[in-house]
Amino acid sequence: MIAVLKQGTTEEQITNLTHWFEEQGVSVHKTVGVYQTILGLVGDTSKIDINLLEALEMIEAVKRISDPFKMANRKFHPEDSVISVGDVKIGGGNFAIMAGPCSVESEEQIIEIAKQVKAAGANLLRGGAFKPRTSPYDFQGMRAEGLELLLEAKQETGLPIVTEIMNANHIPLFENVDVIQVGARNMQNFELLKELGKIDKPILLKRGLANTIKEWLMSAEYIMAGGNENIILCERGIRTFETYTRNTLDLSAVPMLHELTHLPVVVDPSHATGVARMVEPMAYSAVAAGADGLMIEVHNNPAKALCDGAQSITPAQFAGITGKVFEIHALMHK
Amino acid sequence: MIAVLKQGTTEEQITNLTHWFEEQGVSVHKTVGVYQTILGLVGDTSKIDINLLEALEMIEAVKRISDPFKMANRKFHPEDSVISVGDVKIGGGNFAIMAGPCSVESEEQIIEIAKQVKAAGANLLRGGAFKPRTSPYDFQGMRAEGLELLLEAKQETGLPIVTEIMNANHIPLFENVDVIQVGARNMQNFELLKELGKIDKPILLKRGLANTIKEWLMSAEYIMAGGNENIILCERGIRTFETYTRNTLDLSAVPMLHELTHLPVVVDPSHATGVARMVEPMAYSAVAAGADGLMIEVHNNPAKALCDGAQSITPAQFAGITGKVFEIHALMHK
Amino acid sequence: MIAVLKQGTTEEQITNLTHWFEEQGVSVHKTVGVYQTILGLVGDTSKIDINLLEALEMIEAVKRISDPFKMANRKFHPEDSVISVGDVKIGGGNFAIMAGPCSVESEEQIIEIAKQVKAAGANLLRGGAFKPRTSPYDFQGMRAEGLELLLEAKQETGLPIVTEIMNANHIPLFENVDVIQVGARNMQNFELLKELGKIDKPILLKRGLANTIKEWLMSAEYIMAGGNENIILCERGIRTFETYTRNTLDLSAVPMLHELTHLPVVVDPSHATGVARMVEPMAYSAVAAGADGLMIEVHNNPAKALCDGAQSITPAQFAGITGKVFEIHALMHK
Amino acid sequence: MIAVLKQGTTEEQITNLTHWFEEQGVSVHKTVGVYQTILGLVGDTSKIDINLLEALEMIEAVKRISDPFKMANRKFHPEDSVISVGDVKIGGGNFAIMAGPCSVESEEQIIEIAKQVKAAGANLLRGGAFKPRTSPYDFQGMRAEGLELLLEAKQETGLPIVTEIMNANHIPLFENVDVIQVGARNMQNFELLKELGKIDKPILLKRGLANTIKEWLMSAEYIMAGGNENIILCERGIRTFETYTRNTLDLSAVPMLHELTHLPVVVDPSHATGVARMVEPMAYSAVAAGADGLMIEVHNNPAKALCDGAQSITPAQFAGITGKVFEIHALMHK
């Protein structure tokens, strides 16, 4: 960390500031220029509050050189983390596809889709029971009843399930869920993240719709700091000015995350684009970028999907994609 | 609402779709073009799910003409809402300043600041007890203890208090709080919004850092649909590519909101810019844009603020701003 | 195109407006609702100025249903355009790699790189002679002398060349250049686009750093409306809030463009990410998204690149990428 | 400027790099940490190419501490620049309003508006002769003929004129124009900026629609480096995700620019919002933020404006705004 001091800072002020840094356990190296004095801070600066420093009268600028995330940081954990979900593994060369409908609608629907996506090669079943909707007048999901139906589909097919949580009070309801998803709108719901840090179930942490990679890793750090290191990151598009797609899928985040963190990264091309026709090319593109898995929305009757229908593909279309997905994955790892 | 049909849609499909719309209570007017058929939907379309429609095979595009928010909509409630907080009124020409520190740190600090901002003209005391921080290693607020200190400051000065909630489970703790703030990161925490709809306390709803005005009004609608119509909107800057300021204060949102909704709008120039030197000009600018109030961060020792220090001004600086704020407000309303 | 009229619009106003539309060659279908009257406009609306309409007192909203671009539109030209550059073809299943340094620096440099990228599989040589730099104090390129060196490298290796133009007055200097590049900053330099419409050389049109797909296609339309239909679109990243990468590569633009237009689309992973380590994964990812080609920055001594060095890879690294690029391309087209 | 070296950089590499910096005229101060070595560079680093440095194998990160713009920098020119246009002065407490139509359409139109805006208090007449339009099929302005009509209006009213240039070849046509405007789309048309640096006429430099304040000042620096220091900056909204307004007016740019540069800053609320009803509140807001002037679109028949009609107000509406504008300006400077 670098602190640039304003012109006119006195020697006494510099001495006091230096002592304060040393009390925080970092050592200080001073560079005196004509216009500026620069303090180079060496040691564990992850716990120094950059805003606090910037507020000091004598400070012109503070620049953090090293990353503020520690447990998620690849520097301190060079090997890929592999997340196990039943027999399925994600990360470290292990690839998994999560597929299923946006919302669970009925027993028949979810079991039928579960069988079809399993037959087409999916490794996990996804489906929404608790649904975050922009409008209070839109369908809010089957909630607890939807979780029951997902568990039935799991029993029927053997596929582990992944589904979204919106409220820490619901954690007990998720006891038999295999992977708990934190949606984009809750990526910085820190109270929820803290509670998820206390359990040991894998968490699929979606990127917030306008959050930086650094903020995303800090949210992972919240869960990890609580003790739960089973985290899968999920890129699902960011908000930009472009309107042809619902969001802009940021695929360069995949190799960037692989450099910054040891956690696996999956990609959701369905929510990212909001256009069913874009799911296939973006699924291939994500795998070629190095993704450790995909999350794909599949619906047996897209015309009747109760939410987010525009981004759903049919089981038949899904079955037409998985083959090439596995071929690309194989090509990337040969 | 307008639905544009794809070329090749059959008469039978159109008839079926028309019946479906009519069952939802909207009437349908058909325009047949050479390349496209357009259905104009007339009536209350606020409850029609636009994504569901877009998913239909025969649909090329759907455009909503009217706004999806109803209770917050000025069309159905032409007069300004006036929110009462004790003796203080906000909206409909009534102007209020909320001032105080980012975080409550001690009894001495909060009482001292409360007295100073009151003397300088503030109408409410703001202060954070529960603090949403990007890093799990940063100070998380004094939490319940901080609420106690705020209530002491209220008792001492008579100023009503406004403070942030992060968890619906904490609502009982906020029983004596005057205005409950929903922070930017929780603007789409729908589970929290629903719970706040069940109480009757004024809610200060901050805009999410990358949320549209429409999404913001839909979040207000969540609270109002639950029965609580006491909402104050707070513009606090949006995320853009610009880096000189922490966020970009969107002041055109103020007159735009006044056109779209009857709810009052206040502006927070401190968090929006993240730079203490910008608070004064942006406070004036907000009032001239028609804001119904201001939320300003004031700290008695900026160099020691435990969080967000960079954006704090001192009580003396605050006292130097309020006079001109009131003058501009008077000029705008004469 | 749909025009929604305000409540209270008189019959006479509607009749006048209808006549005006009919004079523009579009027919009008009227839908009368309780709150709104909607006019559906059918025919060639591409020349109707949407802003002009919006300015009319009686208009509440105007929505364009069809695309304002015509010559670039796949609807009116369903087959892929194939752009020929000497023996090289781009589009319609033909794939090409353009490689070379950001800036031409010397005869030795450019000829050496040209030989190396050719040996590794590149089909065109890229290199900057006229360089748009944010700072007037940064190296501005070798300009006309740089063009000479590129032509020497072409003679030596047989590779056609692609290089950027910044000023319509320079067109005569580009007489022997094979593909003229319009950079991101000039995507809406309409005076330049018009002049390039008058020649018949292939134009590589980069996307502006904050331009929508629609604006990009309208800029292609400028060139095509002038008579030059030889256009290659180049996605090179858009500006977002993310800072780990220089820009955010928008790969979903590739399949979206393939749907909207018949023009070929290439991707530049070097400028998009600004990080040499990201070039390889994003090159693969672009090909899997369906790109018709790649533009890759290659430098024989990255440590000495005079500009944009951070995003350059070495010829050896480039040679390690092309094989897998061709394999993915083959896999996508089998 | 700070250069952070990678772990494992040898002493010899550091020595070589240090010599290279010293040859560029900057002195180097070294801080050795456990994980990193940091070089602090002191002196005039404005001409060091940050991308070049980042490309070096041994460099982990480079951070510029001081601003790369010099002639525009307030640090080296503490007093406000005052730009004189005939008898009108802008900056340093002098305030000016530029008003007129988006496009010049006829002699009658422009002279009539010129008289009306002058009567209402405008100091300069604006009007477009050369118009940058997204679509090649939209009205492109009256071009040279439009300039003639503006000059007639100037003769008739005495108002100096400001109008946009799109092509350096047109500079001779602008001989009698008082202020030459560079539009948002040409803010980084460096070839044009260089040519405008060779004349001595005031340049109104609009901010690019997605350009940072730093890039904007670097574009001003291009003109100033050529010898022309008569620059007025014009904020006109930036591109964000919000769609209720055409762009997002960034008013915090006004006080930020006043801190960073000595150049005057005017604000264009018409183009920024794209909504005529927002012009009045945003004009007031801009003045309260400290703007040195306003640019407002005024049309005598908004329903017939040939372009950008949606953002035009009438002369009568304009006359209703100027009074309060001057009152707020007086209040800000008392």
Side-chain angles (χ1 to χ4, degrees):
Chain A
M1 191 183 268
I2 297 295
V4 184
L5 306 184
K6 289 213 181 109
Q7 260 186 293
T9 304
T10 65
E11 266 313 303
E12 197 193 335
Q13 286 177 304
I14 296 176
T15 305
N16 289 342
L17 184 62
T18 300
H19 285 167
W20 184 79
F21 281 126
E22 286 167 355
E23 279 166 33
Q24 317 270 320
V26 301
S27 62
V28 179
H29 296 249
K30 189 167 71 169
T31 300
V32 181
V34 184
Y35 295 106
Q36 292 168 319
T37 294
I38 294 165
L39 301 184
L41 309 180
V42 178
D44 176 8
T45 59
S46 70
K47 287 169 194 177
I48 289 188
D49 190 333
I50 202 163
N51 289 323
L52 192 158
L53 265 186
E54 287 173 340
L56 294 171
E57 191 59 48
M58 71 188 94
I59 296 286
E60 173 147 336
V62 183
K63 310 256 174 190
R64 206 183 271 285
I65 303 299
S66 54
D67 303 314
F69 47 91
K70 270 186 96 155
M71 300 187 70
N73 201 325
R74 190 180 282 276
K75 277 188 192 153
F76 310 117
H77 184 312
E79 321 76 39
D80 288 344
S81 281
V82 177
I83 308 299
S84 293
V85 184
D87 296 339
V88 181
K89 290 188 188 311
I90 304 174
N94 302 287
F95 186 83
I97 304 182
M98 307 165 188
C102 177
S103 293
V104 179
E105 291 163 30
S106 71
E107 188 182 354
E108 193 193 350
Q109 172 237 23
I110 190 67
I111 290 178
E112 181 59 25
I113 296 181
K115 287 179 179 168
Q116 291 180 304
V117 299
K118 187 184 181 185
N123 310 93
L124 287 98
L125 176 66
R126 71 179 293 280
F130 294 90
K131 299 297 306 171
R133 305 302 307 273
T134 304
S135 166
Y137 309 123
D138 287 346
F139 175 59
Q140 308 277 316
M142 293 182 76
R143 302 177 69 93
E145 198 189 338
L147 288 184
E148 289 308 318
L149 298 181
L150 279 168
L151 291 171
E152 274 187 53
K154 174 185 173 179
Q155 193 131 357
E156 194 79 26
T157 58
L159 287 180
I161 58 177
V162 47
T163 191
E164 179 167 355
I165 197 165
M166 290 172 64
N167 188 328
N169 292 348
H170 297 159
I171 289 177
L173 292 173
F174 283 66
E175 199 185 340
N176 296 311
V177 166
D178 300 281
V179 179
I180 298 181
Q181 175 179 324
V182 176
R185 290 177 187 78
N186 282 311
M187 193 201 88
Q188 292 195 315
N189 182 340
F190 303 122
E191 293 280 314
L192 176 60
L193 300 179
K194 283 178 190 170
E195 293 304 314
L196 295 173
K198 295 176 186 163
I199 61 176
D200 60 1
K201 223 179 260 301
I203 307 296
L204 184 112
L205 181 64
K206 288 202 153 189
R207 181 180 188 175
L209 92 166
N211 285 109
T212 62
I213 291 173
K214 189 182 284 185
E215 287 167 342
W216 191 8
L217 288 172
M218 291 311 293
S219 286
E221 192 82 9
Y222 256 96
I223 303 172
M224 298 175 92
N228 184 355
E229 303 191 19
N230 294 308
I231 296 175
I232 303 162
L233 300 167
C234 180
E235 162 65 28
R236 44 76 71 205
I238 56 174
R239 181 159 273 185
T240 68
F241 57 81
E242 179 55 64
T243 54
Y244 268 119
T245 45
R246 185 183 303 173
N247 298 290
T248 297
L249 185 61
D250 179 10
L251 285 180
S252 49
V254 176
M256 187 53 85
L257 283 166
H258 280 157
E259 187 171 303
L260 294 169
T261 183
H262 50 89
L263 298 171
V265 184
V266 304
V267 172
D268 175 349
S270 304
H271 282 78
T273 62
V275 182
R277 303 180 307 276
M278 300 294 126
V279 172
E280 179 176 353
M282 298 325 288
Y284 299 155
S285 190
V287 181
D292 299 298
L294 292 171
M295 174 170 258
I296 294 182
E297 207 175 297
V298 178
H299 201 287
N300 46 9
N301 187 349
K304 285 200 188 134
L306 288 178
C307 73
D308 281 340
Q311 69 209 23
S312 273
I313 57 173
T314 62
Q317 290 169 324
F318 177 69
I321 292 175
T322 49
K324 204 171 270 186
V325 160
F326 293 127
E327 281 187 85
I328 299 173
H329 186 256
L331 182 58
M332 301 316 296
H333 285 78
K334 82 173 184 188
Chain B
M1 191 183 268
I2 296 294
V4 183
L5 305 184
K6 288 212 180 109
Q7 260 185 297
T9 304
T10 64
E11 267 313 302
E12 197 194 333
Q13 285 178 306
I14 296 176
T15 305
N16 290 342
L17 185 61
T18 301
H19 286 167
W20 183 81
F21 280 127
E22 287 168 354
E23 280 166 34
Q24 318 270 319
V26 302
S27 61
V28 178
H29 296 250
K30 187 168 71 169
T31 300
V32 181
V34 184
Y35 295 108
Q36 292 169 319
T37 294
I38 295 166
L39 303 183
L41 309 180
V42 178
D44 177 7
T45 59
S46 71
K47 287 169 193 177
I48 288 187
D49 191 332
I50 202 162
N51 290 323
L52 192 160
L53 265 187
E54 287 173 341
L56 295 171
E57 192 58 47
M58 71 187 97
I59 297 286
E60 174 147 338
V62 183
K63 311 256 174 187
R64 207 182 270 285
I65 303 298
S66 52
D67 301 314
F69 45 90
K70 271 185 94 155
M71 300 186 70
N73 201 324
R74 191 180 280 276
K75 278 187 193 154
F76 310 118
H77 184 312
E79 322 73 43
D80 288 344
S81 282
V82 178
I83 309 297
S84 292
V85 184
D87 297 338
V88 180
K89 290 186 187 315
I90 303 174
N94 301 288
F95 185 84
I97 303 181
M98 307 165 187
C102 176
S103 293
V104 178
E105 290 163 32
S106 70
E107 187 181 357
E108 192 193 353
Q109 171 237 24
I110 191 67
I111 289 177
E112 181 60 25
I113 296 180
K115 287 179 179 167
Q116 291 179 303
V117 298
K118 186 183 181 184
N123 310 93
L124 287 98
L125 175 66
R126 75 178 293 279
F130 294 90
K131 298 297 307 170
R133 304 301 307 275
T134 303
S135 167
Y137 309 123
D138 287 347
F139 174 59
Q140 307 277 316
M142 293 182 77
R143 302 177 68 92
E145 196 189 339
L147 289 184
E148 289 307 318
L149 299 180
L150 279 169
L151 292 170
E152 275 188 51
K154 175 185 174 179
Q155 194 132 357
E156 193 79 26
T157 59
L159 287 181
I161 59 176
V162 47
T163 191
E164 180 167 356
I165 197 165
M166 290 172 65
N167 188 330
N169 294 345
H170 298 159
I171 290 178
L173 293 173
F174 283 67
E175 199 184 340
N176 296 311
V177 166
D178 300 281
V179 179
I180 299 182
Q181 174 177 325
V182 176
R185 290 177 186 79
N186 282 310
M187 192 202 87
Q188 292 195 314
N189 183 339
F190 302 122
E191 293 280 313
L192 176 60
L193 300 180
K194 283 178 192 171
E195 295 304 315
L196 295 173
K198 296 176 185 162
I199 61 176
D200 61 0
K201 224 178 256 304
I203 308 298
L204 184 112
L205 180 64
K206 288 202 153 188
R207 182 180 188 175
L209 92 166
N211 286 108
T212 62
I213 290 174
K214 189 182 284 186
E215 288 168 340
W216 190 10
L217 288 173
M218 291 310 294
S219 286
E221 192 81 10
Y222 256 97
I223 303 172
M224 297 174 93
N228 184 355
E229 303 190 21
N230 294 307
I231 297 174
I232 302 161
L233 300 166
C234 180
E235 161 66 28
R236 43 75 72 206
I238 56 173
R239 180 160 276 185
T240 68
F241 56 83
E242 178 56 62
T243 54
Y244 268 119
T245 45
R246 184 183 303 173
N247 297 289
T248 297
L249 185 60
D250 179 11
L251 284 180
S252 48
V254 177
M256 186 55 84
L257 283 165
H258 280 154
E259 187 171 303
L260 294 168
T261 183
H262 50 89
L263 299 171
V265 184
V266 304
V267 171
D268 175 349
S270 304
H271 281 78
T273 61
V275 181
R277 304 180 307 277
M278 300 295 127
V279 171
E280 179 176 356
M282 297 325 287
Y284 299 155
S285 192
V287 181
D292 300 298
L294 292 171
M295 174 171 257
I296 294 182
E297 208 175 296
V298 178
H299 201 286
N300 47 7
N301 187 349
K304 285 203 188 132
L306 287 179
C307 73
D308 282 340
Q311 67 210 24
S312 274
I313 57 173
T314 61
Q317 289 168 325
F318 176 71
I321 291 175
T322 49
K324 204 172 271 187
V325 160
F326 294 126
E327 281 186 86
I328 299 173
H329 185 257
L331 183 57
M332 302 315 296
H333 286 77
K334 82 172 183 190
Chain C
M1 191 181 265
I2 297 294
V4 183
L5 306 184
K6 287 209 182 114
Q7 260 185 295
T9 303
T10 64
E11 267 313 301
E12 195 194 335
Q13 285 178 306
I14 297 176
T15 305
N16 289 344
L17 185 61
T18 300
H19 286 167
W20 183 81
F21 280 127
E22 286 168 356
E23 280 167 33
Q24 319 269 321
V26 300
S27 61
V28 179
H29 296 250
K30 188 168 71 170
T31 300
V32 181
V34 184
Y35 295 107
Q36 292 169 319
T37 294
I38 295 166
L39 302 183
L41 309 180
V42 177
D44 177 8
T45 58
S46 70
K47 288 169 192 177
I48 289 187
D49 190 332
I50 202 163
N51 290 324
L52 191 158
L53 266 185
E54 287 174 340
L56 295 171
E57 191 58 48
M58 70 188 95
I59 296 286
E60 175 147 336
V62 184
K63 308 258 174 187
R64 206 183 270 285
I65 303 299
S66 53
D67 302 313
F69 46 90
K70 271 184 94 155
M71 300 187 69
N73 201 325
R74 190 181 280 277
K75 277 187 193 157
F76 310 117
H77 184 312
E79 321 75 40
D80 288 344
S81 282
V82 178
I83 308 298
S84 292
V85 184
D87 297 338
V88 181
K89 289 186 189 315
I90 304 175
N94 302 286
F95 185 84
I97 303 181
M98 308 166 186
C102 177
S103 293
V104 179
E105 290 163 29
S106 70
E107 185 182 357
E108 192 192 353
Q109 171 238 23
I110 192 66
I111 289 177
E112 181 60 22
I113 295 181
K115 286 179 180 169
Q116 291 179 303
V117 298
K118 186 184 181 185
N123 310 92
L124 287 98
L125 175 67
R126 74 177 292 280
F130 294 90
K131 299 298 306 171
R133 305 301 308 274
T134 303
S135 167
Y137 309 124
D138 286 347
F139 175 59
Q140 308 276 317
M142 293 182 76
R143 302 177 69 91
E145 197 189 338
L147 288 184
E148 289 307 319
L149 298 181
L150 278 169
L151 291 171
E152 274 188 52
K154 174 185 174 179
Q155 193 132 356
E156 193 80 26
T157 58
L159 287 181
I161 58 178
V162 46
T163 191
E164 179 168 355
I165 197 165
M166 290 172 64
N167 188 330
N169 294 345
H170 297 160
I171 289 179
L173 293 173
F174 283 67
E175 200 185 341
N176 296 310
V177 166
D178 299 281
V179 179
I180 299 182
Q181 174 179 323
V182 176
R185 289 177 187 78
N186 282 311
M187 193 203 87
Q188 291 195 315
N189 182 339
F190 301 122
E191 293 280 314
L192 176 60
L193 300 180
K194 283 178 191 172
E195 294 304 315
L196 295 173
K198 296 178 184 161
I199 61 175
D200 61 1
K201 222 177 258 303
I203 307 298
L204 184 111
L205 180 65
K206 288 203 153 188
R207 182 180 188 175
L209 93 164
N211 285 109
T212 62
I213 291 174
K214 188 182 284 186
E215 288 168 341
W216 190 8
L217 288 172
M218 291 311 295
S219 286
E221 192 82 9
Y222 256 98
I223 303 173
M224 297 175 91
N228 184 355
E229 302 190 22
N230 294 307
I231 297 175
I232 302 161
L233 300 167
C234 181
E235 162 65 27
R236 43 75 74 206
I238 56 174
R239 180 160 274 184
T240 69
F241 57 82
E242 179 56 63
T243 54
Y244 267 119
T245 44
R246 185 184 303 174
N247 298 290
T248 297
L249 185 60
D250 179 10
L251 284 180
S252 48
V254 176
M256 188 53 85
L257 283 166
H258 280 156
E259 187 171 303
L260 294 169
T261 184
H262 50 89
L263 298 172
V265 184
V266 304
V267 171
D268 175 348
S270 304
H271 282 77
T273 61
V275 181
R277 303 181 307 277
M278 299 295 127
V279 171
E280 179 175 355
M282 297 325 287
Y284 299 154
S285 191
V287 181
D292 300 297
L294 291 170
M295 173 170 257
I296 294 182
E297 208 174 296
V298 178
H299 201 287
N300 47 6
N301 187 349
K304 285 200 187 134
L306 288 179
C307 73
D308 281 338
Q311 68 209 22
S312 275
I313 57 172
T314 62
Q317 290 168 324
F318 176 69
I321 291 175
T322 50
K324 204 171 271 188
V325 160
F326 294 126
E327 281 187 86
I328 298 173
H329 186 256
L331 183 57
M332 301 316 295
H333 286 77
K334 83 171 181 190
Chain D
M1 191 181 269
I2 297 294
V4 184
L5 305 185
K6 289 214 180 106
Q7 259 186 294
T9 304
T10 64
E11 266 312 304
E12 196 193 336
Q13 286 177 304
I14 297 175
T15 306
N16 289 343
L17 184 62
T18 301
H19 285 167
W20 183 80
F21 280 126
E22 287 168 354
E23 279 167 33
Q24 317 271 320
V26 302
S27 62
V28 179
H29 295 251
K30 189 167 69 167
T31 300
V32 181
V34 184
Y35 295 107
Q36 292 169 318
T37 295
I38 295 165
L39 302 184
L41 309 180
V42 178
D44 176 8
T45 59
S46 70
K47 287 169 194 177
I48 289 188
D49 190 334
I50 202 162
N51 290 322
L52 192 158
L53 263 185
E54 285 174 340
L56 294 171
E57 191 60 46
M58 71 187 95
I59 297 286
E60 174 148 337
V62 184
K63 310 256 174 190
R64 205 182 271 286
I65 303 300
S66 53
D67 302 315
F69 46 89
K70 271 185 95 155
M71 300 186 70
N73 201 326
R74 189 179 282 275
K75 277 188 192 153
F76 310 117
H77 184 313
E79 322 75 41
D80 288 343
S81 281
V82 178
I83 308 298
S84 292
V85 184
D87 296 338
V88 181
K89 290 186 188 312
I90 303 174
N94 302 287
F95 186 83
I97 303 182
M98 308 166 187
C102 176
S103 293
V104 178
E105 290 163 31
S106 70
E107 186 181 358
E108 193 193 351
Q109 171 238 23
I110 191 66
I111 289 178
E112 181 59 24
I113 296 181
K115 286 178 179 169
Q116 291 179 305
V117 299
K118 186 182 182 185
N123 310 93
L124 288 97
L125 175 66
R126 74 177 292 279
F130 294 90
K131 298 297 306 172
R133 303 302 307 275
T134 303
S135 166
Y137 309 123
D138 287 347
F139 175 59
Q140 307 277 316
M142 292 183 77
R143 303 178 68 92
E145 196 189 339
L147 289 184
E148 289 307 318
L149 298 181
L150 279 169
L151 293 171
E152 275 187 51
K154 173 184 175 179
Q155 194 131 358
E156 193 79 24
T157 59
L159 287 180
I161 59 177
V162 47
T163 191
E164 180 168 355
I165 197 165
M166 290 172 64
N167 187 329
N169 293 347
H170 297 160
I171 290 178
L173 293 172
F174 284 67
E175 200 185 340
N176 295 310
V177 166
D178 300 280
V179 179
I180 298 181
Q181 174 178 323
V182 176
R185 292 177 186 78
N186 282 310
M187 193 203 88
Q188 291 195 316
N189 181 340
F190 302 122
E191 293 280 313
L192 176 60
L193 301 180
K194 283 178 190 171
E195 294 304 315
L196 295 173
K198 295 177 186 162
I199 60 176
D200 60 1
K201 222 177 258 304
I203 307 297
L204 183 113
L205 181 64
K206 287 202 153 188
R207 182 181 187 174
L209 92 166
N211 285 109
T212 61
I213 290 174
K214 189 182 285 184
E215 288 167 341
W216 189 9
L217 288 172
M218 291 311 294
S219 286
E221 193 83 9
Y222 256 97
I223 303 172
M224 297 174 92
N228 183 355
E229 302 190 22
N230 293 308
I231 297 175
I232 303 161
L233 300 167
C234 180
E235 161 65 27
R236 43 75 73 205
I238 57 173
R239 179 159 276 185
T240 69
F241 56 83
E242 178 57 62
T243 54
Y244 268 120
T245 45
R246 186 183 301 173
N247 298 290
T248 297
L249 185 60
D250 179 11
L251 284 179
S252 48
V254 176
M256 187 55 83
L257 283 166
H258 280 155
E259 187 171 302
L260 294 168
T261 183
H262 49 89
L263 298 171
V265 184
V266 303
V267 171
D268 175 348
S270 305
H271 281 78
T273 62
V275 181
R277 303 179 307 277
M278 301 294 126
V279 171
E280 179 175 354
M282 298 324 289
Y284 299 156
S285 192
V287 181
D292 299 297
L294 292 171
M295 173 170 260
I296 293 182
E297 208 175 295
V298 178
H299 201 286
N300 46 7
N301 187 350
K304 286 203 188 130
L306 287 179
C307 73
D308 281 340
Q311 69 209 22
S312 273
I313 57 173
T314 61
Q317 290 169 324
F318 177 70
I321 292 175
T322 49
K324 204 171 271 186
V325 160
F326 294 126
E327 281 187 87
I328 299 173
H329 186 257
L331 182 58
M332 302 316 296
H333 286 78
K334 81 173 182 188

